[in-house]
Amino acid sequence: MKTRVNTDYLINLLEVTPASQNIMLVGKHGIGKSQILEQFYTERGCKVVTLFLGQMSDPGDLIGIPRKNEATGKTEFLPPYWFPTDNTPVVLFLDELNRARPEVLQTIMDLALNRRLAGKALPPGSRIISAVNNGDEYQLTELDPALVSRFNIYEFIPGVDEWLVWANKKNLDERIIRFIDLNKGELDGEEYTGSDDDLEKTPDRRAWERASDIIKGTEELTQFHKTVIAGIVGQKSAVRFLEFLNKNKIIPAEELLLGNFDQTKERLKAYTTPEFAVINDSIFPFLEKTIAKADTQAVLLISKNLGHYYDFLEKKNLREALAHFASLFKSNSYPNALAFMVSDCENLFSKATRFVASLK
């Protein structure tokens, strides 16, 4: 059984693992492995070199082209385009390791053990990280146990809640965020395995981001949009997504907090606990990206409507929805929103604090 890590654990292990130790991440495609690595090391001033080993036809694509050294009469290899020549450490990300040809994998052996390639050493402090896919749906090359032994191996399974936080920060289309929040299996296509059709499209995290890029800013989605989305996340997920939107026209946080609450309240009366959870989840990211830019009048309106919303949940005795709302105060992902709650919504903050205390 592989050791499983989510995004937080992955970031922590990247911080504590010495450069001399190699890391192998196992997981499905489209779950953000390369994106997280790129961001983590780039933010720390490290150059990340990504090599897609599955695209290399022979070892020469990796080690460079041989030539005769006229001075010594011996053959040497010209360094490949990516090889660092300024002695600055790099993070070498070997993507699709188990899609590489066996002859390319043989070249990786010396690189993984000795940090050397065709007689040339990587700069001291360089790191080697690989990523592999696992599952019967992939065409893979079996890895030599000797090569595998040179890596610390972790199965990367990022949580859906982590993705929801990320999606809100990236300002993905809120309809997609709501859909995934209430249909978590749709994020990575967990329900669509085992198809006999090699070209059947199934959803993944990259696909939902691409779908968001297309529909964001479009108020009403038509049959045309359904067709477009189906080509991105698959026919089944597209149908479910559009059906969800037709049945669940949940009030967005912007309308809840900047609109007329007396009108909003009438719509809230028909909502269920899961739908209130979606509203709660949308409030904090909205505040996080809005409150710092809002003028005084908008801040006052947001504070007033937020208080009305909490009072509504309290008067209806919707304890599960209240508990979910209060639990979001523990999150470290929305510091601006929490600061606003404490400073501009003192009464609400006191009520939520007392409610949490009553649950103990």
Side-chain angles (χ1 to χ4, degrees), residues 142-300:
E142 186 174 353
L143 297 179
D144 190 306
L147 176 60
V148 172
S149 70
R150 297 175 187 185
F151 289 85
N152 303 342
I153 302 176
Y154 304 96
E155 185 173 11
F156 180 49
I157 305 180
V160 178
D161 290 340
E162 294 174 328
W163 184 86
L164 291 171
V165 170
W166 171 87
N168 276 302
K169 289 182 177 179
K170 287 279 288 185
N171 205 26
L172 265 61
D173 188 89
E174 58 90 17
R175 291 166 293 189
I176 288 178
I177 295 174
R178 284 193 280 119
F179 175 64
I180 298 300
D181 193 12
L182 290 176
N183 301 272
K184 292 180 169 54
E186 292 284 347
L187 180 59
D188 297 313
E190 295 175 1
E191 302 175 28
Y192 307 121
T193 58
S195 171
D196 294 330
D197 185 352
D198 292 338
L199 292 180
E200 182 178 353
K201 201 74 174 71
T202 56
D204 59 50
R205 296 167 192 234
R206 283 197 297 253
W208 286 115
E209 185 177 2
R210 294 199 301 270
S212 173
D213 291 340
I214 289 177
I215 68 173
K216 192 166 179 62
T218 303
E219 186 172 341
E220 291 294 330
L221 301 187
T222 65
Q223 182 64 33
F224 167 75
H225 293 101
K226 176 182 175 182
T227 301
V228 174
I229 295 169
I232 302 172
V233 301
Q235 183 70 26
K236 294 178 182 178
S237 281
V239 169
R240 288 188 177 184
F241 176 57
L242 269 295
E243 288 178 348
F244 169 83
L245 294 184
N246 290 332
K247 294 178 182 177
N248 299 275
K249 294 186 179 296
I250 295 177
I251 300 170
E254 182 176 7
E255 184 177 342
L256 173 72
L257 299 178
L258 291 174
N260 184 323
F261 190 80
D262 287 336
Q263 296 176 1
T264 303
K265 181 168 62 175
E266 296 306 310
R267 294 171 60 187
L268 291 175
K269 292 177 181 178
Y271 284 6
T272 63
T273 296
E275 290 167 335
F276 281 117
V278 173
I279 294 177
N280 294 345
D281 284 334
S282 70
I283 287 174
F284 281 76
F286 172 78
L287 292 175
E288 187 68 20
K289 63 187 179 185
T290 303
I291 204 65
K293 299 179 290 185
D295 58 30
T296 302
Q297 186 175 356
V299 169
L300 290 174

Side-chain angles (χ1 to χ4, degrees), residues 13-22 115 127:
L13 73 87
L14 292 177
E15 289 176 340
V16 303
T17 303
S20 59
Q21 297 185 22
N22 307 322
R115 298 292 197 278
R127 295 176 178 270

